[in-house]
Amino acid sequence: MHQSPSIYDGLGVRYTGDFNAVSTAVRQAIHSINRTLPISHITTLDAVVDRAITNQRLVAELSAFFGLLAVCISAIGIYGLMSYIVSRRTNEIGIRMALGAARSSVRWMVMREIVRLVVLGIGIGTVISLAAGRLVATMLYGLKPTEPNNLALAIAVLLVVALTPGYLPARRASKVNPMEALRYE
């Protein structure tokens, strides 16, 4: 005769108190009814749920890590790009400062270019993310791809990530010595 496992392969017990004491009592109660019933393992519902969502948690943690890594790399790229732009305009900045431009106006001139690029990028990115949100809406549990709070938070993070590394070259440009800048190149 062929034996197959029963569909009733688990027993759920609601308890309060110490898990080890309750599991020992449950084991004794089962053996008092039938000593031949096999008890393979006893675990909590929390442990079963943790095991069931391990893959999802790992994917979420890896996504967060790679997202943070992408933010760092983009900040480094923005810093490099703005440093390059400022170094290419050193002569112009020197002339402006020699003619009496204030350091704050030179700093704002560089920051204005950064803000223009960031606003353009955020605008294009928002449109693309809203369009792509419909494609991934089924994969988002408990979230809507068009949730205003999430969009606002993402935009704020992008602004901070873009403007912070862009400020350093702008500050360096405002400290250019006009005489050295005029001799530059």
Side-chain angles (χ1 to χ4, degrees):
M1 182 171 182
H2 181 68
Q3 292 183 352
S4 62
S6 170
I7 59 170
Y8 302 108
D9 61 349
L11 172 68
V13 177
R14 180 178 293 197
Y15 71 95
T16 58
D18 181 36
F19 170 72
N20 292 328
V22 172
S23 65
T24 303
V26 169
R27 195 180 293 266
Q28 289 172 352
I30 292 172
H31 283 304
S32 71
I33 295 171
N34 186 350
R35 282 234 176 256
T36 61
L37 286 176
I39 302 172
S40 58
H41 66 281
I42 297 177
T43 186
T44 64
L45 183 60
D46 289 338
V48 172
V49 170
D50 282 346
R51 227 181 0 259
I53 63 170
T54 298
N55 287 342
Q56 289 87 349
R57 184 178 293 135
L58 179 64
V59 168
E61 289 172 357
L62 284 173
S63 297
F65 170 74
F66 286 119
L68 185 61
L69 185 64
V71 165
C72 291
I73 290 172
S74 62
I76 291 168
I78 290 169
Y79 173 77
L81 176 68
M82 292 316 298
S83 292
Y84 175 73
I85 288 172
V86 167
S87 71
R88 298 286 296 172
R89 295 177 68 183
T90 301
N91 222 357
E92 172 198 344
I93 292 169
I95 292 170
R96 286 178 186 266
M97 293 193 70
L99 292 174
R103 293 185 190 278
S104 61
S105 66
V106 171
R107 192 177 310 127
W108 175 241
M109 176 186 71
V110 175
M111 287 301 290
R112 189 173 39 237
E113 189 169 338
I114 296 168
V115 169
R116 186 175 51 86
L117 291 172
V118 169
V119 167
L120 181 68
I122 287 175
I124 293 170
T126 301
V127 169
I128 291 172
S129 70
L130 290 174
R134 293 180 181 164
L135 298 173
V136 296
T138 58
M139 293 184 253
L140 300 173
Y141 177 74
L143 295 173
K144 292 184 236 169
T146 58
E147 194 167 321
N149 292 339
N150 292 341
L151 287 173
L153 179 65
I155 289 171
V157 167
L158 288 172
L159 281 171
V160 168
V161 167
L163 296 179
T164 301
Y167 177 75
L168 298 174
R171 195 178 96 197
R172 192 172 51 239
S174 69
K175 293 183 178 184
V176 167
N177 184 350
M179 292 309 293
E180 288 179 22
L182 292 173
R183 287 187 218 134
Y184 186 73
E185 286 187 22

